[in-house]
Amino acid sequence: MKVYDLIGIGFGPSNIALAITLQEKKQAGYNIESFFIEKQPSFAWHANMMLNNAHMQVSFLKDLATMRNPSSHFTFINYLHQKNRLQDFINLKTFFPSRHEFNDYLSWAASHFDHCCAYGEEVIEILPEKRGEETVLLRIRSRDSEQIMHERLARNLVISIGGQPRIPDSFLSLKGDPRVFHSSSYLQEIKQFPSANRIAVVGGGQSAAEIFMDLHDRFQTTQVDLIMRARSIKPSDDSPFVNEIFNADFTDFVFNSSEQDRAEILNDFWHTNYAAPDLVLIEQIFNVLYRQKVSGSERHRFLRRHEVRQALSLQEGIQFVLHDMNTHCERTETYEAVVLATGYHRDHHKSLLAPLTPYFGDFTVDRQYRLCSTPNFKPAVFLQGACESSHGLSDTLLSVTAVRTNEIAQALMNNSNQTSVMQAKRGISTAFA
Ligand SMILES: Cc1cc2nc3c(=O)[nH]c(=O)nc-3n(C[C@H](O)[C@H](O)[C@H](O)COP(=O)(O)OP(=O)(O)OC[C@H]3O[C@@H](n4cnc5c(N)ncnc54)[C@H](O)[C@@H]3O)c2cc1C
Ligand SMILES: NC(=O)c1ccc[n+]([C@@H]2O[C@H](COP(=O)([O-])OP(=O)(O)OC[C@H]3O[C@@H](n4cnc5c(N)ncnc54)[C@H](OP(=O)(O)O)[C@@H]3O)[C@@H](O)[C@H]2O)c1
């Protein structure tokens, strides 16, 4: 079996950016043979949230390459040039293209790597390949849409699988009920409810706000309840000094801070990203609710300080026991569909790596995003998008993607293990041929 220098799990922006970096390093004489495995049938960036008016929340200059190499073929500006839209884009006078356009840019970039990416395969397990007492390679097992298993061997691994839907405890028992779905499958699922009378959106972040406005525009009469625990919807703060936390060098500052300081930094700036829609979107929602007041007909409701204590699956709909956190009163409400815009968790790598847990202890990463391991574990395993607690709030976003891939590529090349693994490469290749 062929042994790759690096296998990447997921082919979203993080690993596309890494593929680009490695390709550019190859041109400079460093040859790391990489391969990527993506579970979607083709490239798509949060396809189920590709809403009509959605736009980027980060400057297009924080694309896959510019911050690392502004002269790269893969910059957003070169994409515009290739598509013959550079002048028109300039006349838009924006740093924040539509998410449709950015998705097209990402697809364009991804298409350069079709030869080294297997689409339609979900990685389900990573196993150690031992030589004596040492683990020298990793066996990556994936399953395709026809349930056929595939196995590949790698000397190093990078896991960039994004977030997985966070489902509140009160909804866990409703798993499998098609009337309750997470924002990450919104566009696919909402099609099933063309004539719903009442829909609940749970959450107060960008996803909840975008979905509320989408439902308002999509259906003429559907009543939407926007339900959140917070006292108010607060806008994301992207003012310049605050935005410095998303600078590449801020990662060093966060990483080198004490555990307590890191926690304080994350806490202080949490609302730059989480439970924090864009101000313009908040104003749109306020406008909709204000116009209802003018017309005197209440269609949608904004239920702040409300918590879903219980959700029951009934024939007539999903029944909520809603707790008003101000008055401490409870009441029931029934909905034909429920959208959980309740965010994401980012620890699925631990399940994929479960067979390797004894090597990783508490899954600490070093500055180059490499999981710290026991000395008898030779492969380097990197995490992209799962290091927020150690590297800061930019970790789950596009902000540092380009720079981070350079750090990972450097770590791969400088890795002292890499030298010995590379030296042992011929022997290992024979052993596993
Ligand atoms: C709707 C939405 C909009 C966003 N907009 C912005 C924005 O404007 N600006 C910004 O900075 N950030 C934004 N974000 C944050 C987002 O995390 C980043 O934009 C970006 O997608 C991160 O890239 P990634 O490659 O790390 O993760 P993802 O884009 O999530 O890609 C991970 C990939 O891994 C694949 N995968 C997962 N598990 C497996 C597996 N087991 N086997 C194989 N493949 C797997 C997935 O299918 C996916 O393609 C947004 C997030 C959401 C949900
Ligand atoms: N156009 C875009 O660029 C775009 C679009 C969508 C998303 N995004 C990005 O995607 C990321 C995630 O955003 P998101 O809006 O999906 O998630 P999020 O910001 O994490 O917000 C999740 C929301 O769900 C609520 N919630 C969580 N658990 C809950 C529970 N048990 N019960 C009730 N409410 C609960 C949270 O409220 P509490 O505060 O009460 O916990 C919060 O309001 C962000 O980085 C965001 O910027 C970008």
Side-chain angles (χ1 to χ4, degrees):
M1 194 186 288
K2 184 182 174 72
V3 181
Y4 293 95
D5 291 327
L6 177 73
I7 283 187
I9 307 178
F11 207 50
S14 297
N15 271 351
I16 301 171
L18 181 60
I20 293 169
T21 302
L22 293 175
Q23 189 189 82
E24 291 179 6
K25 299 262 179 219
K26 199 177 273 184
Q27 287 153 11
Y30 298 100
N31 195 3
I32 291 181
E33 194 182 3
S34 55
F35 191 84
F36 298 88
I37 304 171
E38 165 57 50
K39 71 177 173 183
Q40 299 186 93
S42 57
F43 175 79
W45 183 53
H46 305 303
N48 283 310
M49 281 295 288
M50 202 47 78
L51 308 180
N52 280 342
N53 297 318
H55 59 83
M56 295 297 295
Q57 288 189 299
V58 73
S59 162
F60 70 81
L61 291 171
K62 291 188 172 176
D63 60 22
L64 297 170
T66 302
M67 298 296 290
R68 176 185 56 80
N69 175 16
S71 61
S72 166
H73 171 78
F74 291 95
T75 62
F76 185 74
I77 287 180
N78 187 45
Y79 151 81
L80 290 172
H81 174 63
Q82 300 286 326
K83 299 281 176 174
N84 209 15
R85 283 206 307 275
L86 186 51
Q87 291 191 91
D88 295 332
F89 184 82
I90 290 169
N91 288 334
L92 276 181
K93 296 185 184 166
T94 184
F95 275 105
F96 305 100
S98 72
R99 291 193 48 242
H100 279 281
E101 184 169 30
F102 209 74
N103 177 60
D104 191 62
Y105 157 66
L106 295 171
S107 305
W108 167 82
S111 70
H112 291 69
F113 300 95
D114 284 347
H115 60 284
C116 61
C117 180
Y119 285 98
E121 284 183 35
E122 177 171 3
V123 172
I124 51 164
E125 198 173 33
I126 299 148
L127 299 167
E129 288 285 321
K130 292 188 171 185
R131 198 175 52 181
E133 291 303 302
E134 291 191 334
T135 290
V136 288
L137 296 177
L138 297 170
R139 181 176 290 268
I140 290 97
R141 303 185 73 222
S142 55
R143 189 169 42 211
D144 66 23
S145 55
E146 285 160 6
Q147 307 304 312
I148 296 168
M149 295 298 299
H150 301 260
E151 294 196 342
R152 295 180 181 86
L153 292 175
R155 294 183 184 89
N156 302 291
L157 185 70
V158 56
I159 304 180
S160 313
I161 54 175
Q164 279 66 45
R166 187 199 293 132
I167 308 297
D169 290 348
S170 46
F171 290 93
L172 288 177
S173 63
L174 301 186
K175 195 174 176 207
D177 189 319
R179 296 169 296 181
V180 181
F181 49 90
H182 186 259
S183 56
S184 57
S185 47
Y186 172 69
L187 282 179
Q188 180 191 312
E189 301 299 334
I190 199 62
K191 288 189 222 136
Q192 319 300 325
F193 302 93
S195 53
N197 288 314
R198 298 192 75 206
I199 296 181
V201 178
V202 181
Q206 180 73 15
S207 297
E210 285 188 8
I211 288 171
F212 177 87
M213 282 310 296
D214 185 79
L215 288 170
H216 172 73
D217 294 337
R218 181 179 294 268
F219 302 125
Q220 292 303 307
T221 54
T222 306
Q223 300 176 336
V224 183
D225 279 357
L226 181 58
I227 303 170
M228 68 187 64
R229 300 185 289 202
R231 288 196 161 80
S232 184
I233 318 184
K234 288 188 196 152
S236 65
D237 183 346
D238 63 348
S239 57
F241 290 112
V242 168
N243 230 30
E244 285 178 345
I245 68 158
F246 299 110
N247 288 358
D249 53 8
F250 199 75
T251 310
D252 284 322
F253 177 70
V254 175
F255 188 83
N256 293 324
S257 297
S258 69
E259 206 166 312
Q260 192 191 337
D261 286 349
R262 268 206 302 264
E264 272 175 27
I265 294 167
L266 284 178
N267 194 36
D268 269 6
F269 292 105
W270 191 251
H271 281 291
T272 54
N273 185 34
Y274 295 111
D278 285 346
L279 181 58
V280 174
L281 193 54
I282 296 175
E283 288 169 346
Q284 285 170 5
I285 295 173
F286 191 85
N287 222 311
V288 166
L289 299 175
Y290 182 77
R291 274 186 273 136
Q292 285 188 174
K293 286 184 180 167
V294 173
S295 68
S297 64
E298 188 185 60
R299 182 179 154 198
H300 310 305
R301 290 187 300 181
F302 175 34
L303 302 180
R304 62 183 106 186
R305 292 291 280 163
H306 277 71
E307 189 170 40
V308 184
R309 283 277 164 95
Q310 206 182 2
L312 297 169
S313 173
L314 306 180
Q315 201 179 353
E316 61 268 33
I318 303 296
Q319 189 183 72
F320 282 7
V321 175
L322 270 182
H323 176 80
D324 182 325
M325 296 159 81
N326 285 335
T327 62
H328 303 289
C329 294
E330 283 190 352
R331 67 172 190 274
T332 58
E333 301 281 352
T334 307
Y335 302 97
E336 281 142 81
V338 174
V339 188
L340 299 176
T342 42
Y344 296 82
H345 65 82
R346 291 180 171 267
D347 53 7
H348 185 55
H349 59 279
K350 291 183 183 167
S351 311
L352 293 178
L353 293 170
L356 304 173
T357 306
Y359 300 109
F360 295 132
D362 60 359
F363 284 86
T364 306
V365 280
D366 69 12
R367 174 62 186 83
Q368 274 77 34
Y369 306 91
R370 180 181 174 173
L371 276 169
C372 303
S373 58
T374 55
N376 59 344
F377 184 84
K378 298 301 171 192
V381 177
F382 299 92
L383 302 180
Q384 297 200 82
C387 305
E388 187 177 75
S389 59
S390 51
H391 288 67
L393 282 159
S394 53
D395 189 65
T396 66
L397 301 172
L398 298 170
S399 322
V400 296
T401 305
V403 173
R404 180 174 63 198
T405 58
N406 201 38
E407 292 163 349
I408 292 174
Q410 284 296 338
L412 266 172
M413 292 178 307
N414 297 344
N415 176 5
S416 55
N417 282 336
Q418 187 65 25
T419 321
S420 55
V421 172
M422 288 297 186
Q423 281 164 356
K425 198 164 164 178
R426 277 167 233 106
I428 292 166
S429 305
T430 319
F432 289 92

